[in-house]
Every structure is written in C-alpha cells, then in structure tokens.
Amino acid sequence: MRVLPVLLTVMPVPLLAATKGRAFFAIDAVEGWLFILLLLVIMILTTAIALKVRTGIIHTKSKRSDTAFEPTRFNEYISALNSKSIDTYLNLKKKQQRPTSGDLKGIGLLMIASLSSLPVASQQIDSSPSSLLQETGILITLVLLLIPVLAGLLLMAVKVAALVRRRNREQYLQQAAAFAHYLTTPDNPLIEEALQKRKRALAYQLHNKELAGDAPADDEKGLVGNINLHAGLSVVAQKQRAGRRPPVDPALSNLVMWYIGCAAFWLVVGTTVGEYVGIKFVSPDVDHVSWLSFGRLRPVHTNAVFWGWASLGMLGLGYYVVPRVSNVPLASLQQGWWALRLINTAVLLGSVSLMAGINNGGGEYREYIWPIQLLFGIGLLLTLSNFIRTIASRTTREIYISNWYIVAALMFALVISIVAYIPLWQDGLGETIIQGYYMHQGVGMWFMLFTLGIVYYFLPQQLNKPIYSYSLGILAFWAQILFYTLIGTHHFVFSAIPWWLQTVAIVGSVGMIIPVAAGTTNFFMTFRGGWHKLNNSYILPFFLVGVIFYFTGSLQGTAEAFRTTNLIWHFTDFTVAHSHLTMYGIVSFLLWAAIYAVVPRLSGKEAPQITVGAHFWLALIGLLFYTIPLMYGSTLRGIMWMQGKPFIDSVIMMAPYWLWRAIGGSLMWLSHLFFAYNLYKMMLGDDTADSRGAAVQRLNQSYSEIESTL
C-alpha cells in the first residue's frame, strides 16, 4: 500500500521511504524473495510455452510440401505483384525464352516482397505462479537455481526464433519459385491477360473529377442541398453547419437564450476574478486592497462560476430539453423568467457581499449568507415545479432519461441547500460532516447529474442516432444516487469524524466506478459508427473531451478517497487540479457542446468556425497546463510534508508549478472571451451576408403585407 500513491500520479516521483518495519526487498524478507521467485517462474513458463509454439510451427511446416503452386491462389498472388515484377515476366515472354533456374530464382526474389505479407501464426500465453514457500533460505536457493535455467531457455528461444525465420524465408523462396514456374506454363493466355490487367490497374491514377465532371450541377428534383460555393480559409477545416430543425416557440427561445447569455456573462466575470487570483500565486503583493484580497476573491470566483455560469447554463438548456422530450409546451414561461431574475440577483448580491467581507464563515461553496442563498433556492423551486408540471402533461408514454436526471438534480439541489443552511446541526463535528455532504453533493448531484441529463439528449441528436443503451443510463442514474450520497466525508479522512463514517465514504467512492463506467460506456458506444463525424463537426469534439474527462476525472476522485492517498494529496493543490478537471473538463465542456448545438437552431445564426476552434483548443490546452503541473507538484509537496521537510521548502518548490497554473488559467480565460464572442455572433450577429435567407425573409414579409391588405 505504500507505493499506491506513487502509482496513481501522472508522472514519476521519488518513492517514500518506509520508517517502520522491514523493507519489502530486505535479505530476510520472505515477501520480496517470493515475488522474485514468482516472477522467474512466470518468465520460465512463458518462455517454455513460446518454445513449444515455435517448435510446433516448425514441425507443421516441415510436413507441408510447398514445391507445387496452387492455381486457386493465382488471384491472391497476382494482386501482390508490382509493375517491376510484371515487366520482368512480360519481357521474358516476348523473347520466347524458357527461363533458366537462375531466371526463376530472379523472378522468385521479386515475388518475396509480396509473399512476406502472408499470415503468421500468433499465440496467446497464459501462465500462473507456482505454489508458495515460506522459508527464506529455500526461496533464495530456488531463485539462484532458476536464474541459469531461465538464461538457458532464453538462449534456446533466440535460437528457435532464428530457425523459424530461416525456415520461413526458405518457404517464401520455394513459393516464389513455384509461382514463377507456373507463370512460364506454355499455351496459357489467361496468365498474360491477368498480368496486363494488373499492370493497367497499377498505372491508373485519379484525376479528381470522377464524381463531378466539368458540367454545371443539374438538380431539377432538388435532391442536393446545403451547398457551399465559396471555399473557406485554407488553414481552417470547414465543419458542417447546423441543419434545419422544427421551429421552437419564439417565447421559449427567448427565455433559453437569456439564460445562456446570463451564464456566459457570469463565466467571463467569474473567471476574470479567477485569473486575477491565479496571478496572485506568482505575484502575491500585486495589490493591498482589502476587497481584492485572496480570501475574498477566491469565493467570488468559485460561487460565480458555480451558481452563475454552470447553474444558469444548465437551467437554460433544461428549459429547452424538458419540453422537447415531453412533446408539450413549457408549463409556465413566467415562472422561468422569475427563476432567472432570482438566481441572477442571488449571484450579484452574493459576489458584492463576499467582496465586502460578509460571508457564511468557512463553508466552502456556501459562502453566501442564507438570505442570498434563499433567493437561489426559490429560483430552483420554481424551476422544479415548472418541469414537473411539464413532464406530467407529456404526450409520450415514457419519461425520457434526460428528464430523470434533470428533475433528480433539482430535487437534490434543494435538499442539500436545506441541509446546509438550516442552523440545527452545524455545531462541532456536525458542521464538518454537513460541509462534506453539501460540498460533494453540490458537485455530483447537482452539476454532474443535471449535465448528464443534457448529454443524454444532445449527444444522440448530434450523432443522429439513439442512445446506445437506455438500461445503462438507468443503471448509472440509480448507482450514482446510491453511492454519491455517501462520499462527502472522504474529504475529512483522519479527522475526528467517526472512523466508520470515513470508511463508508471510501467504500462509496469505490462504488462510483459503477455509474462512471456505465455512463462512459453508454456514451462511447453511442459514438460507435459515428467517429467519422468528428471531422465535420465543431460540436462533437466538445462532447468527446467532456466524456473523456468524465471517466478520468471521476476515477481520479475515487483514487483520492483512499486513506493512503489522503496522506499525500490532502491540503495540497491536487484537489484544486481535480476540481478543475471535473467542473471545467466535464461540466463546462459538455455545456459548451450543448450551447453550440442549440443556439444556432434558436437564432438561425452560427458562430465563425475559426473562433469556435480557438475556444476549444485554448480551453483544452489551458486546462492541461493548469492541472498536470499542479498534480505533479502537489504530489511532491505531500511527500515532503510526510518526510518532515520545512513547510517553507514546499512553498518554494511549488513556485514553478504555480506559474504553470497562471499560464493555463490565462489560456482558459482567453478561451472564455472567444466563447462570449461566439455567443454574441450566434445571438445578435449580423446575418445579412446570407442573401438567400434575407431574400426568403423579404418574400415572406411581402406576402404577409399582401395578405393583410386583402
């Protein structure tokens, strides 16, 4: 278990020396010698099996007679010839000369390259260790005896491999000679005809007009559409534009776009604050103003991106998804607008109060005082009521899986807010337990659950195929509810919290492998058969990155939950890197994908694809620059603490990793500016460049005016 933390890091780090007990590879350690013995036995068994298979191949080939050529394989051999081989044969045929043995050998050598691609037998080796002994002296003796045995077997394996290669080459030469002899068969015009046909096939070249031609397109039946007559920039790959979808109620479209626009505003504001906070790690004395201090700005950053960006973005997309999959209009647009006003007011008042020093104490992610958070809770309550009434009036028999996730997320958000803010149990250890519950349920049962519901709608839509498995989605749904609600206290391992409660949290963290594996499998299997669409889509790459981080970031959380890893990573910046891998790599990327998918269908306008690409790559590269150095440096820092090194030494050691944090954060912040620009172009941008659309709108307007005068 001492080496487990090191194996879980992303880069190699110095091993932590044991301070008590016997070393694993001490001279009198049975475990170490037993490990070496098992390793040697496995190597010997593997080598012996390989020798058995190799000698079996030689024995089988020695029994076969390859001197005669099989005419049934003629087409197979012809397809492997090149122009040089064909020319050699045809020249000999023209001279009307019978090839001598030397000629046959020359032709045979030319055939070897084509025959070398014939299938070679492969084997799969499985082995199991021998029985265990307990005496150190016996184990040492067996190890010493097995070393020369292994060396002899390895030498024999090398010899046998050389023999097999030599036998294969001889067989290829025999086959080539037999084929050459067959080609010289007199009175067989089919051979020369086949070779001429093969030579013409090799000489054929495409002129890139096979499917087009020089004539203008003639499409009287209107089968061809979405044609781009103007080539784009040569340095930017042209992606497929959004297809036309059934119209959405303009009032609902307006509501959804206001939610998304407000979310983008808080993303820029919150990450601008985060950018400034990240710079303070490199230049801590950049200012001396109280309301710009790190302790006040850090919660402004986290709460703005949590409750402003992510929450409003999810809710806006939810207002689009829930009525669509229910096949009915939204129950109440007015409630949607009131929820938007309340949540924006809560984030605005919360940010100002935090900068003024008015907060809820040390509760992470619940720094807003309860009157402000109450506004947010009322907004969620209005949304939940709105969604439930919409789903209740659905015209479909089933409740689509997206609605399961979205409604459950709203329910859990209200539950955790009530538990966290009602001051009945926040005393002593109760405060710590409630904080762990609130903090982790907020991430997993609000943000993650809601975002997954959005993915279950938009990913199949973008791939134009149904979700791979409805059952896997339901399995992931209930497994996440079962296990995620138990894991909050794994942030307080080795604290005064009861030991059994810590263990329950660790077990729940391990159980999270089930919903993560089920959800990831479901998404990747939905991608199956549609991977080629990644090349022509600027939306699917966002989904792909989000799903990858969903798997890696979630399992990293499981790895952090163990007591051994807590000793190293707790109280370091490793948790900061992990939170960005999840909240940014999963939630933000998936929200961006859904926003880029839905807004063009609501507004009829698309963002420039070059700025969408800039957003994607700056966000991804910035996230990697941010997280990987922090994870590596934090692992080194935790090891320094466990070795008793002075605290200031770990601070000095982290300086370059904090610089990488600032660089990565700057790239991420820059990508958000591109996103805001893209959103502006999709919502308010000028679309008069599309003369076809403008002409149609003008005709519709004229037709409406004529109708009104009749």
Side-chain angles (χ1 to χ4, degrees):
M1 291 297 294
R2 292 191 182 106
V3 298
L4 178 61
V6 181
L7 296 177
L8 295 174
T9 56
V10 294
M11 296 183 181
V13 297
L15 291 176
L16 180 63
T19 57
K20 293 182 179 181
R22 182 175 52 186
F24 184 73
F25 285 105
I27 192 65
D28 59 341
V30 174
E31 296 86 353
W33 286 106
L34 184 60
F35 175 77
I36 296 174
L37 177 63
L38 289 175
L39 184 62
L40 287 173
V41 170
I42 292 173
M43 294 173 66
I44 290 173
L45 289 175
T46 304
T47 307
I49 295 174
L51 285 174
K52 172 64 177 176
V53 174
R54 288 289 189 178
T55 53
I57 293 173
I58 297 174
H59 182 68
T60 302
K61 289 185 175 181
S62 63
K63 290 184 176 181
R64 284 176 12 200
S65 176
D66 298 320
T67 58
F69 176 75
E70 301 176 9
T72 56
R73 303 180 65 187
F74 177 72
N75 291 331
E76 176 186 349
Y77 279 73
I78 286 292
S79 64
L81 294 180
N82 54 30
S83 297
K84 185 177 180 181
S85 301
I86 297 174
D87 289 337
T88 301
Y89 168 78
L90 294 177
N91 289 335
L92 291 173
K93 202 70 174 176
K94 287 180 181 179
K95 293 179 181 179
Q96 299 295 324
Q97 295 177 352
R98 297 280 300 178
T100 63
S101 60
D103 297 328
L104 289 175
K105 184 177 181 180
I107 296 176
L109 291 175
L110 292 173
M111 310 302 177
I112 290 176
S114 62
L115 298 176
S116 61
S117 61
L118 295 177
V120 180
S122 61
Q123 62 277 356
Q124 196 170 12
I125 300 170
D126 190 13
S127 61
S128 57
S130 61
S131 60
L132 306 181
L133 301 177
Q134 298 298 326
E135 294 294 333
T136 304
I138 295 176
L139 293 174
I140 295 174
T141 303
L142 290 175
V143 168
L144 295 177
L145 289 175
L146 289 177
I147 288 176
V149 174
L150 177 62
L153 286 174
L154 290 175
L155 179 61
M156 186 181 300
V158 172
K159 295 291 186 181
V160 171
L163 179 62
V164 171
R165 287 195 299 270
R166 186 165 61 251
R167 176 56 185 159
N168 287 339
R169 182 173 179 80
E170 292 174 357
Q171 185 182 13
Y172 294 152
L173 289 173
Q174 291 176 3
Q175 292 176 351
F179 182 44
H181 178 72
Y182 176 77
L183 290 177
T184 59
T185 302
D187 302 329
N188 193 350
L190 296 178
I191 295 178
E192 186 171 354
E193 181 183 349
L195 290 172
Q196 290 285 4
K197 182 179 179 181
R198 174 62 180 168
K199 185 178 179 181
R200 289 193 299 269
L202 291 171
Y204 180 77
Q205 291 183 352
L206 296 174
H207 52 77
N208 298 324
K209 293 184 179 180
E210 286 75 15
L211 300 178
D214 299 326
D218 185 7
D219 185 30
E220 294 181 356
K221 296 184 177 180
L223 301 178
V224 181
N226 197 24
I227 301 298
N228 184 12
L229 300 177
H230 304 283
L233 295 176
S234 59
V235 296
V236 180
Q238 288 296 304
K239 306 294 185 180
Q240 185 177 4
R241 300 179 67 85
R244 295 189 177 274
R245 297 279 178 174
V248 181
D249 179 15
L252 178 63
S253 298
N254 191 30
L255 177 65
V256 171
M257 287 198 289
W258 265 97
Y259 267 93
I260 294 174
C262 292
F265 170 79
W266 288 115
L267 175 66
V268 173
V269 171
T271 53
T272 300
V273 175
E275 167 73 3
Y276 188 68
V277 170
I279 292 174
K280 286 197 169 191
F281 278 90
V282 182
S283 301
D285 295 330
V286 68
D287 69 73
H288 299 279
V289 182
S290 61
W291 56 275
L292 293 179
S293 62
F294 181 89
R296 296 190 184 182
L297 287 185
R298 197 264 179 177
V300 172
H301 161 66
T302 55
N303 285 275
V305 295
F306 273 30
W307 315 125
W309 150 241
S311 297
L312 285 175
M314 294 187 312
L315 290 171
L317 294 169
Y319 274 104
Y320 176 84
V321 171
V322 172
R324 301 290 287 183
V325 298
S326 301
N327 201 27
V328 292
L330 184 69
S332 173
L333 287 170
Q334 195 66 27
Q335 283 190 13
W337 284 109
W338 273 109
L340 176 65
R341 297 186 188 103
L342 288 170
I343 294 174
N344 274 307
T345 302
V347 179
L348 177 62
L349 294 178
S351 301
V352 173
S353 66
L354 289 177
M355 296 180 74
I358 304 171
N359 55 65
N360 192 38
E364 190 175 17
Y365 308 145
R366 56 171 177 155
E367 290 90 353
Y368 290 172
I369 58 177
W370 72 264
I372 293 176
Q373 191 67 16
L374 179 62
L375 299 177
F376 185 88
I378 295 174
L380 293 188
L381 186 61
L382 290 175
T383 303
L384 176 61
S385 170
N386 209 352
F387 286 175
I388 290 179
R389 287 191 292 142
T390 302
I391 297 170
S393 62
R394 70 189 184 278
T395 59
T396 58
R397 180 179 179 182
E398 302 86 2
I399 298 178
Y400 185 64
I401 191 170
S402 292
N403 284 345
W404 284 69
Y405 278 86
I406 291 172
V407 170
L410 285 164
M411 290 179 176
F412 273 102
L414 290 171
V415 169
I416 62 177
S417 297
I418 292 172
V419 171
Y421 278 90
I422 293 182
L424 297 179
W425 37 71
Q426 287 90 344
D427 293 323
L429 289 180
E431 167 71 15
T432 304
I433 296 172
I434 293 303
Q435 171 59 29
Y437 174 80
Y438 168 83
M439 175 177 57
H440 227 86
Q441 304 317 298
V443 174
M445 303 308 292
W446 167 235
F447 295 110
M448 199 66 66
L449 208 62
F450 203 118
T451 303
L452 290 175
I454 292 170
V455 176
Y456 273 103
Y457 174 80
F458 282 104
L459 180 60
Q461 181 200 68
Q462 290 300 303
L463 292 170
N464 197 24
K465 57 189 302 190
I467 195 70
Y468 171 72
S469 172
Y470 200 90
S471 299
L472 274 179
I474 297 299
L475 170 64
F477 174 80
W478 288 112
Q480 181 156 339
I481 290 177
L482 172 63
F483 292 112
Y484 214 110
T485 50
L486 304 175
I487 67 178
T489 51
H490 76 203
H491 286 272
F492 304 104
V493 176
F494 298 114
S495 68
I497 293 175
W499 193 259
W500 67 266
L501 187 57
Q502 301 176 32
T503 304
V504 168
I506 296 171
V507 173
S509 301
V510 176
M512 277 301 298
I513 296 175
I514 297 175
V516 171
T520 305
T521 301
N522 212 1
F523 296 143
F524 276 134
M525 293 303 289
T526 305
F527 264 107
R528 187 180 62 172
W531 293 106
H532 63 281
K533 296 183 179 180
L534 283 168
N535 296 329
N536 299 321
S537 173
Y538 59 83
I539 298 171
L540 289 177
F542 284 94
F543 276 120
L544 180 61
V545 170
V547 172
I548 291 174
F549 279 121
Y550 172 59
F551 181 75
T552 56
S554 299
L555 292 190
Q556 185 190 64
T558 298
E560 288 183 76
F562 293 101
R563 291 188 174 93
T564 309
T565 50
N566 259 263
L567 286 173
I568 292 182
W569 290 332
H570 199 50
F571 297 120
T572 70
D573 287 331
F574 198 99
T575 53
V576 177
H578 170 65
S579 64
H580 282 77
L581 276 179
T582 52
M583 281 300 299
Y584 195 87
I586 304 174
V587 175
S588 291
F589 268 88
L590 294 177
L591 288 181
W592 286 326
I595 289 171
Y596 281 128
V598 72
V599 173
R601 289 170 187 151
L602 300 178
S603 64
K605 307 168 189 176
E606 290 197 55
Q609 294 182 2
I610 188 171
T611 52
V612 176
H615 171 208
F616 174 82
W617 287 111
L618 286 172
L620 178 59
I621 295 173
L623 178 62
L624 296 178
F625 281 4
Y626 188 104
T627 55
I628 294 178
L630 276 188
M631 288 188 289
Y632 181 67
S634 298
T635 304
L636 295 178
R637 193 182 196 190
I639 292 175
M640 292 177 67
W641 291 350
M642 295 182 68
Q643 291 177 340
K645 300 294 180 62
F647 179 81
I648 191 61
D649 289 353
S650 69
V651 175
I652 296 173
M653 184 273 300
M654 283 297 296
Y657 304 106
W658 284 333
L659 177 60
W660 277 108
R661 170 183 179 157
I663 294 172
S666 299
L667 295 177
M668 294 155 68
W669 174 72
L670 183 60
S671 77
H672 304 158
L673 299 182
F674 276 104
F675 170 65
Y677 172 78
N678 293 334
L679 204 58
Y680 165 77
K681 296 295 288 184
M682 290 187 292
M683 289 183 173
L684 304 174
D686 185 10
D687 62 343
T688 56
D690 187 0
S691 58
R692 295 172 298 177
V696 172
Q697 291 180 2
R698 181 64 60 86
L699 287 173
N700 289 336
Q701 182 179 0
S702 301
Y703 182 73
S704 300
E705 293 175 354
I706 293 173
E707 275 192 330
S708 62
T709 58
L710 294 178

